[in-house]
Amino acid sequence: MTEAATMTVEVGLGDRAYDILIGPGLLARSGAEIARRLPGTRAAIVTDENVAAAHLDTLKAGLVGAGVDSVDIVLPPGEKTKSFDRLQEVVDGVLAARLERRDCVIALGGGVIGDLAGFAAGIVRRGMHFVQVPTSLLAQVDSSVGGKTGINSPRGKNLVGVFHQPRLVLADTGTLDTLPAREFRAGYAEVAKYGLIDRPDFFAWLEENWREVFSGGPARIEAIAQSCRAKADVVARDEFETGDRALLNLGHTFGHALEAATRYDGARLVHGEGVAIGMAMAHRFSARMNLASPDDAARVEAHLRAAGLPWRMADVPGGLPDAETLLSFIAQDKKVQRGALTFILTHGIGKSFIAKDVPASEVLSFLRENHPG
Ligand SMILES: NC(=O)c1ccc[n+]([C@@H]2O[C@H](COP(=O)([O-])OP(=O)(O)OC[C@H]3O[C@@H](n4cnc5c(N)ncnc54)[C@H](O)[C@@H]3O)[C@@H](O)[C@H]2O)c1
Ligand SMILES: [Zn+2]
């Protein structure tokens, strides 16, 4: 593949601005792209066993080709890897390799590796350079962009971390060929999310073209680039989530409650699946509150269903706790301020907004009505 197939999206953060390169063959070009931006850098590659088996050698060859020395730190796959123990392992690996502030940590993997490696890069020597090489669809369209990094605490997900922007994101779309189909589909929920937040034309385009996005080729690259553009816009407006960035949580309040209700058991529900159900619920709930037309909710449900995603609570295998318990998971979610429930609701496709003071009683009634029983 030629360089011409690569698309570039810039994240406009002034003197911390960076490029997201999207296209096939980027692992092989990684050394040149990194060395151009970080001359003389050395690197610690953080990855997981699944991704290492499929892509680590290609990345290392790409680095060697441009004279970038590297060590690698290979961790077990899965959400449990976002822990204090693994953070310590990564920090120790970086220090043992005698890397300095001007050297870089490269995250090669999905969102788990990106969040963990980014956090390590943010704290070792008070902040080293960081490069994201996302290999899951979710990571390419969401977690690798925007600088949120961190790990989980026994008290909850993503509770410990820092904002630390990467210097470069290399989204090699060829890596998605080895991603399990279910993970690809789950990542697609976040792609659809950008259309539903504020890009109705993109959502309509996805309704027409989702099959091509799934099968690969130019439509896939286009969808990833559009998604990165959407996220980059929000991040440039509100880097530290004091306002608009919260819109990216569309579908996540209900989704996180379902993830908690299934005890983060990926065999039952992975994050993007929870988001898919959560987005459909946010639209249905908005219609119930007379904020949006039920036709829009039906359109969202139909698209998620067509793409093979779950879209209602009844689609969660293994049953769910009752509506009161689900509400308690929502109330524990971090988007609760001074007792009032904050949700991302919508006036229709592409017209989402931040709704503060959503009455818990309405949410409870809605959960009861839609509970599979
Ligand atoms: N920082 C942010 O802004 C942000 C945003 C959204 C999500 N996240 C975080 O991202 C994480 C979820 O990310 P994820 O869905 O990528 O999960 P993940 O990193 O666990 O990857 C999913 C699975 O796919 C495998 N995999 C990844 N790429 C592969 C490839 N190319 N070939 C074969 N297997 C591959 C992984 O080994 C893993 O088993 C969560 O921890 C979530 O909190 C962070
Ligand atoms: Zn998400």
Side-chain angles (χ1 to χ4, degrees):
M1 278 287 182
T2 61
E3 285 204 29
T6 305
M7 298 184 79
T8 303
V9 173
E10 198 202 28
V11 185
L13 288 170
D15 59 359
R16 290 173 301 124
Y18 56 94
D19 287 336
I20 307 164
L21 306 189
I22 303 153
L26 285 165
L27 290 183
R29 275 168 44 206
S30 57
E33 297 295 349
I34 291 170
R36 181 189 306 172
R37 292 167 179 83
L38 303 172
T41 194
R42 295 184 301 143
I45 304 167
V46 183
T47 189
D48 75 28
E49 286 154 9
N50 296 337
V51 178
H55 303 293
L56 181 57
D57 288 347
T58 315
L59 175 64
K60 287 209 286 203
L63 294 175
V64 167
V68 178
D69 283 344
S70 67
V71 295
D72 39 76
I73 301 165
V74 183
L75 303 169
E79 186 69 30
K80 286 199 171 59
T81 290
K82 275 173 58 173
S83 67
F84 279 102
D85 286 353
R86 297 300 177 186
L87 176 68
Q88 187 170 8
E89 190 175 335
V90 173
V91 166
D92 193 58
V94 172
L95 292 173
R98 301 185 186 283
L99 297 190
E100 310 200 359
R101 285 183 76 178
R102 59 192 161 81
D103 296 321
C104 70
V105 175
I106 300 176
L108 173 71
V112 164
I113 290 298
D115 281 11
L116 172 68
F119 187 22
I123 60 175
V124 174
R125 301 186 188 279
R126 298 191 181 78
M128 296 175 56
H129 293 318
F130 179 42
V131 173
Q132 287 269 21
V133 184
T135 63
S136 68
L137 181 60
L138 181 136
Q140 295 194 351
V141 300
D142 190 353
S143 61
S144 69
V145 178
K148 279 191 185 177
T149 75
I151 58 173
N152 303 323
S153 145
R155 294 184 183 278
K157 271 195 69 172
N158 297 328
L159 291 180
V160 182
V162 295
F163 284 93
H164 187 58
Q165 298 289 346
R167 295 294 302 261
L168 174 67
V169 181
L170 295 173
D172 185 332
T173 51
T175 61
L176 300 176
D177 293 342
T178 60
L179 186 69
R182 184 178 173 200
E183 294 290 348
F184 187 90
R185 223 180 287 124
Y188 180 80
E190 307 277 5
V191 173
K193 181 185 79 177
Y194 295 113
L196 294 175
I197 290 173
D198 60 359
R199 296 183 179 224
D201 295 348
F202 182 46
F203 187 75
W205 183 87
L206 289 170
E207 288 178 308
E208 288 297 314
N209 295 286
W210 67 269
R211 284 180 193 79
E212 287 71 30
V213 175
F214 275 67
S215 60
R220 178 181 286 182
I221 298 174
E222 177 64 29
I224 294 170
Q226 284 284 357
S227 300
C228 288
R229 219 166 274 138
K231 180 146 187 192
D233 278 3
V234 175
V235 168
R237 281 205 305 272
D238 178 21
E239 184 178 3
F240 299 111
E241 195 164 330
T242 54
D244 263 14
R245 187 165 178 166
L247 291 171
L248 297 172
N249 293 324
L250 175 64
H252 283 60
T253 303
F254 286 124
H256 284 158
L258 296 174
E259 283 187 272
T262 52
R263 298 168 193 276
Y264 300 96
D265 175 1
R268 292 175 66 194
L269 194 73
V270 298
H271 174 74
E273 294 169 342
V275 171
I277 300 173
M279 290 192 302
M281 289 175 76
H283 282 75
R284 206 31 94 185
F285 183 61
S286 298
R288 186 184 185 278
M289 301 275 284
N290 293 318
L291 296 164
S293 156
D295 294 348
D296 286 331
R299 211 175 128 191
V300 174
E301 291 162 357
H303 181 57
L304 298 172
R305 196 169 57 231
L309 279 161
W311 57 278
R312 53 187 172 178
M313 288 195 280
D315 292 339
V316 179
L320 286 172
D322 63 18
E324 285 74 10
T325 309
L326 288 173
L327 183 67
S328 75
F329 285 126
I330 289 173
Q332 276 166 26
D333 200 71
K334 59 180 183 280
K335 286 167 283 299
V336 182
Q337 282 177 345
R338 289 180 225 94
L341 295 175
T342 297
F343 270 82
I344 311 305
L345 297 181
T346 187
H347 294 301
I349 307 278
K351 294 186 200 155
S352 68
F353 65 98
I354 301 168
K356 302 201 165 122
D357 302 313
V358 175
S361 57
E362 295 287 334
V363 179
L364 185 60
S365 308
F366 174 74
L367 290 170
R368 282 194 183 123
E369 289 158 21
N370 289 274
H371 201 283

